[in-house]
Amino acid sequence: MISCSATPRKAKRALWLLAATLLAVPAMADAQVLTLRDALRRADQAGFANRIAAGQSAAQAGQGLAPYRGILPTIRMETSYLATTDPLNAFGFALRQRAVTPAAFAPSSLNNPNAIGNLTTGVVVEQPLFNADSWLGRKAAATASQATAAQERWTRSGTAVDVVRAYWGAVLSREQEHMLRSALEAAQSHVRQAESLVRQGMATRSDALLASVKAGQVEAALLSARSQVRLARLGLALLMGEPAESTFALPGVLPSAEQVQFVSSRATTENMLPVRRADVEAATLARDAAVADARRASALYLPRLNGFGRLDWNAPTAPFGGKSAWTLGLMLSWSPFAGASELAEIRTASGRRRTAVAMAEAAEATAGLDRSRTTDAVPLAQARLEIAGRGIAQASEAHRIVGRKYEGGLASVTELLDAAAIETTAELAEVAARYELIVATAESRRAQGLDLSPLQDLEPLVNQ
């Protein structure tokens, strides 16, 4: 008869995992063993979301310098060459070149001058003295740059959580594939034994057919698991910004339930001092920037005062030739009405301010909800893991009992395979519960504004 006790099955699975690990050692020597720490580092540097956020932050930082055009001086060089027979300009060129003689005042020379050329070379300095919109715009732009930098940090923390989810998700898929492969081998063994009993007249043909159906269900689940393994690796590579990367090796199993419980408890209790989340900081800074920008727009109605200075050289051909001449000046300008452009900008800035205020309040409220949700999710995941652990023990014992009954002719092959399927389902649920607790811990720390470094303590437990 068929022997289906849970203990041989567990022993077989353990031996299979050990053999797989030993066979994988040469492959791991060739492939880069990817640790969670390495995956986080690679995603932080090359991940697409992080690179996009870094580019946006750099662009906003560049925009933060734009208001300085109304604060800092402008220095430029100018040169031009003109030749003319126009009486007024010809006399002016001679005067600028300090070349006027008494003969130049002769009516014939004044009325019909010879062609004269003039090369002007100048250095111009323009110094804004009072432009209120530029000073207020500087504050708005600097605050907006800080907001974008904070948003970049929040994006990076989100990428880190995604990497944790993808890294251990790939390991989960691989371990589930191992479980289903062992389950399929056991189911196929049941089919062969059932078919043998049918030939011996000790079982009905329906028993063999039902066994084949159950084995087919396990095989379908295994095919799905293999696909998940491939997709999980591709997803992890994509998060690291290297979608074509496929040479890295991963652990074969997740950390044990005890290890996950220990790290999770420590990560959610130690160093949990209140920290301002980067997304809340970004929304608050964006609100402050919008308020400052509204003030800048209102300052467009104020007068402007600017100074300038010039140092010019005029000569027939040589640059910087002749004697220099300087010019200094001040300019006060005021535009009480410029076609309603100021009014349009004021109203636009006011609308952005109201939007930013609402977004800052929403960010604070959302952060509070996230903290509550993730705080509740961790103990819930811990409870599910404990329940799943008990479920494995119960399903294993039930499988053993049904196996004994089948050996004694008191249970059908359908009951035997159902018991085996329930045990496999319990094992899959338990390993999924370990994964869910890891993810819940990562999300909880991000919701609190904390880094994920404590979760890296799981690596030595798996890779040692």
Side-chain angles (χ1 to χ4, degrees), residues 19-33:
T21 302
L22 293 175
L23 290 174
V25 169
M28 288 185 178
D30 296 330
Q32 177 86 30
V33 178

Side-chain angles (χ1 to χ4, degrees), residues 411-430:
S412 65
V413 69
T414 303
E415 293 175 307
L416 175 64
L417 293 174
D418 284 342
I422 291 173
E423 183 179 11
T424 298
T425 300
E427 291 174 346
L428 294 173
E430 192 274 341

